[in-house]
Amino acid sequence: MSVLSWASLEQTLTYLEIGGHFRPAGCVARTKVAIVVPYRNREAPNITFNRGLLMNIGYQEALRDYDYQCFIFHDVDLLPEDDRNLYSCEQSPRHMSVAIDKHNYTLPYEAYFGGVSAISRRHFQKINGFSNVFFGWGGEDDDMYLRIVYTGLDVTRNSATVARYKMLRHAEDKLNELNAVRFRLLNTARRRRLQDGIRNVKYTVLKKEYRQLYTWILTSPHTSGAMFSVNGREGLRMSQRKNKHF
Ligand code: UD2
Ligand code: MN
């Protein structure tokens, strides 16, 4: 669990092409997979974290670069332990981080969808991506589970012996406080689904850098309660109260 320097990783992972692309040398890859990692530098901007919204931005920006067919939505702090847990998309959206050390390698609850998930482009489009209205910690993963179900799709999982992860420890984040309205928002998941997602996410790309190991995108989301006309009242109220999501 030691921390390696970027320079040493760049020297080791020389098979990566610029932007963090990998392609097998001896065959043509069957699918094109993008791994989207939402990351906010723990010190940096003073807005409340919004994981779902960052996933939606990562999805759209990846598609501007390349014709990806499959998307893995991945917490920055999870390390896969077993390479039989394939980073690929199958017939149904798949929850990949089934067994995490932090949860004693057991699924916390049946509708759990946090951590890592694999969703095909076709399905993500149909689901309308993640919700944009969950600011702070919690709920956006449960909302995604509900969206998948309401879209008429199934969630699949590999067995807990294969789908194992370690979670890195870190201090509690500032500006990722518990989202107090997350349960109320979850009650509106069905109605919100078609208005709140990749179809209406708006943002500015401040920087996009094709680094050796990955592509780095710095964005500034444009979010306002007005976007969630149907049943985003809770989202609106929360934005107004904190007044720092704009
Ligand atoms: C759980 C879920 C996560 C998400 C979250 C609720 C697991 C393993 N993960 O995360 O998917 O549903 O609950 O919102 O159950 N991050 C930053 N900077 C910040 C804050 C968050 O980069 O300041 C990113 C980072 O990728 C991180 C992820 O958001 O891994 C989730 O945050 P966390 O790891 O602090 O919270 P955790 O593990 O409870
Ligand atoms: Mn975590």
Side-chain angles (χ1 to χ4, degrees), residues 6 18-21 35 37-41 44-45 54 57-58 61-62 65 76 205-220:
W6 290 117
I18 193 75
H21 285 261
I35 301 177
V37 182
Y39 177 68
R40 190 261 314 264
N41 195 319
L54 288 176
I57 296 175
E61 286 305 306
D65 285 355
V76 75
V205 173
L206 302 173
K207 285 184 196 167
K208 191 163 186 175
E209 292 178 13
Y210 298 88
R211 298 183 178 173
Q212 188 55 41
L213 303 173
Y214 57 94
T215 301
W216 182 66
I217 304 163
L218 180 65
T219 70
S220 160

Side-chain angles (χ1 to χ4, degrees), residues 75 77-78 102 167-168 170:
D75 278 7
D77 58 4
L78 287 174
K102 196 197 169 193
M167 190 162 115
L168 301 174
H170 60 80

Side-chain angles (χ1 to χ4, degrees), residues 39-105:
Y39 177 68
R40 190 261 314 264
N41 195 319
R42 312 269 177 198
E43 306 89 63
N46 70 357
I47 52 164
T48 299
F49 195 70
N50 186 326
R51 180 174 173 272
L53 197 137
L54 288 176
M55 294 301 197
N56 287 342
I57 296 175
Y59 170 84
Q60 295 198 334
E61 286 305 306
L63 285 177
R64 290 163 77 92
D65 285 355
Y66 202 68
D67 183 28
Y68 295 106
Q69 304 300 321
C70 169
F71 287 79
I72 314 284
F73 300 98
H74 210 300
D75 278 7
V76 75
D77 58 4
L78 287 174
L79 306 177
E81 291 185 34
D82 192 318
D83 60 13
R84 291 171 296 179
N85 192 25
L86 296 184
Y87 277 56
S88 63
C89 293
E90 283 141 34
Q91 279 89 327
S92 299
R94 183 156 50 102
H95 177 235
M96 292 184 64
S97 49
V98 177
I100 304 177
D101 62 346
K102 196 197 169 193
H103 301 136
N104 301 315
Y105 293 110

Side-chain angles (χ1 to χ4, degrees), residues 106-244:
T106 55
L107 196 71
Y109 52 97
E110 183 49 38
Y112 176 61
F113 206 69
V116 184
S117 51
I119 308 178
S120 70
R121 175 180 172 179
R122 190 167 62 87
H123 284 155
F124 198 72
Q125 209 70 41
K126 212 171 158 190
I127 293 162
N128 193 19
F130 279 86
S131 166
N132 301 309
V133 302
F134 286 79
F135 288 90
W137 187 93
E140 88 300 332
D141 53 340
D142 300 321
D143 186 83
M144 180 45 117
Y145 186 93
L146 291 173
R147 283 170 176 245
I148 294 169
V149 172
Y150 293 148
T151 306
L153 298 168
D154 294 322
V155 170
T156 58
R157 290 191 177 101
N158 276 336
S159 80
T161 50
V162 166
R164 284 166 71 91
Y165 285 80
K166 272 195 170 44
M167 190 162 115
L168 301 174
R169 282 168 202 221
H170 60 80
E172 217 162 86
D173 295 303
K174 292 201 182 83
L175 297 166
N176 192 26
E177 58 272 25
L178 203 70
N179 178 355
V181 296
R182 66 192 187 285
F183 296 117
R184 263 191 288 157
L185 280 174
L186 283 171
N187 286 333
T188 66
R190 189 195 285 271
R191 288 172 288 173
R192 237 186 323 98
R193 184 168 67 88
L194 299 175
Q195 280 82 17
D196 164 28
I198 44 171
R199 282 179 214 158
N200 70 329
V201 64
K202 295 205 173 48
Y203 58 94
T204 307
V205 173
L206 302 173
K207 285 184 196 167
K208 191 163 186 175
E209 292 178 13
Y210 298 88
R211 298 183 178 173
Q212 188 55 41
L213 303 173
Y214 57 94
T215 301
W216 182 66
I217 304 163
L218 180 65
T219 70
S220 160
H222 309 180
T223 63
S224 88
M227 274 165 53
F228 319 119
S229 51
V230 177
N231 267 296
R233 257 171 290 145
E234 284 88 351
L236 174 62
R237 207 177 306 145
M238 179 171 59
S239 303
Q240 284 171 337
R241 195 178 60 228
K242 297 209 182 111
N243 199 24
K244 56 187 177 189

